[in-house]
Amino acid sequence: MTRIAYQGEPGSNSHMVINLHHPDAEAVPCASFEDAFAAVTSGQCDLAMIPIDNSLAGRVADIHHFLPTSGLHIVGEHFLPIKFSLMGTPGTTLESIKTVHSHVHALGQCRRIIRKHGWTPLISGDTAGAAREISEANDVTQAAIAPPLAAGIYGLDVLANDIEDEAHNTTRFVLLSREDRRAPSGNGPVVTSFIFNVRNLPAALYKALGGFATNGINMTKLESYMVGGEFTATMFLAEVDGHPDEPGLARALEELRFFTTEIKVLGVYPADPFRAGLA
């Protein structure tokens, strides 16, 4: 059986996306992203399911630092519309709640219901962990905001469903493997993810990206972050539509090499059908 590591506790969104897209796999919870990466690197697990972007909260910052040095490769992606439920121990009512517990991002994405009822938000390590804590506390003045899956796991009653402020709240997950299993070209839409450092020259980034424009390559992501805590050392994470074996993207990457000190392809993988709806 395939074992897929994820960060968080049973009932989290990462657990949900594994159940949804890989129902025959064993989902293996890990305390941190670093532990999830290590589980795959060591061979304890075959794959890792890691959130990389959220449509409201933006990028998951830690991932951008782990990916380049992890030795792992992106072999797939999945988009999950995020649905949060309010849950409490049996007997809890909306009127009895005083405090609501969840991950900081979940609390930020459910401000409307919290403000409406005047509850005090308290930060937990993750959403499913908050559900477990509420179950253990067995206190009707406390409630958790968590994915619906968590309620059944921890024996909680769902008091309200779909409480997120924005209906478009979506998280993108990437599937990581020790093996560089690149999707074949000519077999449907493909995404190529890579990182690069630009040379310390005037307009180097502008020139580096010119090849993608002239070759008609659609760049769907470009993010920068500092390397080693230095303000002068910047790494970029980019994602483009297409396969490196296709002439246009091959030419764009070749041109990119003239203006960079390093290029590393992180993965070439099938585009999730969800992207078609985004377009």
Side-chain angles (χ1 to χ4, degrees):
M1 176 184 288
T2 300
R3 306 182 82 231
I4 304 179
Y6 68 95
Q7 185 276 327
E9 301 195 29
S12 65
N13 284 312
S14 297
H15 188 189
M16 285 185 64
V17 79
I18 293 172
N19 285 357
L20 182 64
H21 293 283
H22 303 271
D24 296 329
E26 178 187 354
V28 180
C30 298
S32 67
F33 289 126
E34 194 168 12
D35 289 342
F37 276 75
V40 180
T41 302
S42 67
Q44 178 186 350
C45 291
D46 304 289
L47 302 165
M49 185 72 75
I50 302 294
I52 193 168
D53 300 296
N54 177 266
S55 60
L56 294 180
R59 70 186 186 187
V60 181
D62 288 348
I63 305 309
H64 296 69
H65 296 284
F66 290 144
L67 262 178
T69 58
S70 68
L72 302 182
H73 307 273
I74 303 175
V75 296
E77 67 170 359
H78 300 294
F79 289 80
L80 179 71
I82 301 301
K83 301 295 182 183
F84 287 120
S85 295
L86 180 74
M87 56 193 70
T89 54
T92 303
T93 65
L94 297 180
E95 291 71 28
S96 71
I97 297 170
K98 302 298 181 185
T99 61
V100 61
H101 304 241
S102 197
H103 185 272
V104 61
H105 284 170
L107 293 171
Q109 293 163 20
C110 301
R111 289 191 180 96
R112 190 174 296 128
I113 190 171
I114 295 173
R115 186 168 54 246
K116 175 182 176 181
H117 292 276
W119 298 326
T120 300
L122 296 177
I123 297 173
S124 297
D126 63 76
T127 53
R132 176 182 53 77
E133 292 165 2
I134 296 306
S135 177
E136 293 171 352
N138 194 26
D139 182 349
V140 297
T141 68
Q142 302 178 25
I145 291 175
L149 178 63
I153 291 175
Y154 299 107
L156 299 177
D157 288 346
V158 174
L159 307 176
N161 281 312
D162 300 337
I163 62 172
E164 59 279 355
D165 294 343
E166 303 292 343
H168 64 75
N169 186 7
T170 302
T171 295
R172 175 175 169 248
F173 294 80
V174 290
L175 194 63
L176 303 178
S177 170
R178 289 187 302 278
E179 302 172 5
D180 187 8
R181 306 198 311 245
R182 297 193 177 190
S185 61
N187 191 31
V190 169
V191 178
T192 297
S193 296
F194 58 95
I195 55 173
F196 64 92
N197 285 329
V198 295
R199 298 183 184 277
N200 191 16
L201 299 170
L205 179 60
Y206 173 79
K207 295 173 182 176
L209 298 180
F212 295 94
T214 56
N215 286 285
I217 302 301
N218 182 35
M219 182 170 286
T220 56
K221 175 196 287 288
L222 180 65
E223 295 184 347
S224 65
Y225 55 103
M226 289 186 294
V227 180
E230 297 183 11
F231 288 97
T232 57
T234 303
M235 182 171 284
F236 293 88
L237 170 64
E239 292 182 351
V240 296
D241 292 339
H243 196 288
D245 291 344
E246 296 168 353
L249 183 51
R251 288 193 297 267
L253 291 173
E254 184 62 31
E255 189 168 336
L256 179 64
R257 290 185 176 90
F258 285 107
F259 303 101
T260 58
T261 58
E262 177 189 9
I263 300 177
K264 183 177 182 180
V265 175
L266 299 177
V268 181
Y269 47 95
D272 188 302
F274 187 89
R275 285 180 179 268
L278 296 175

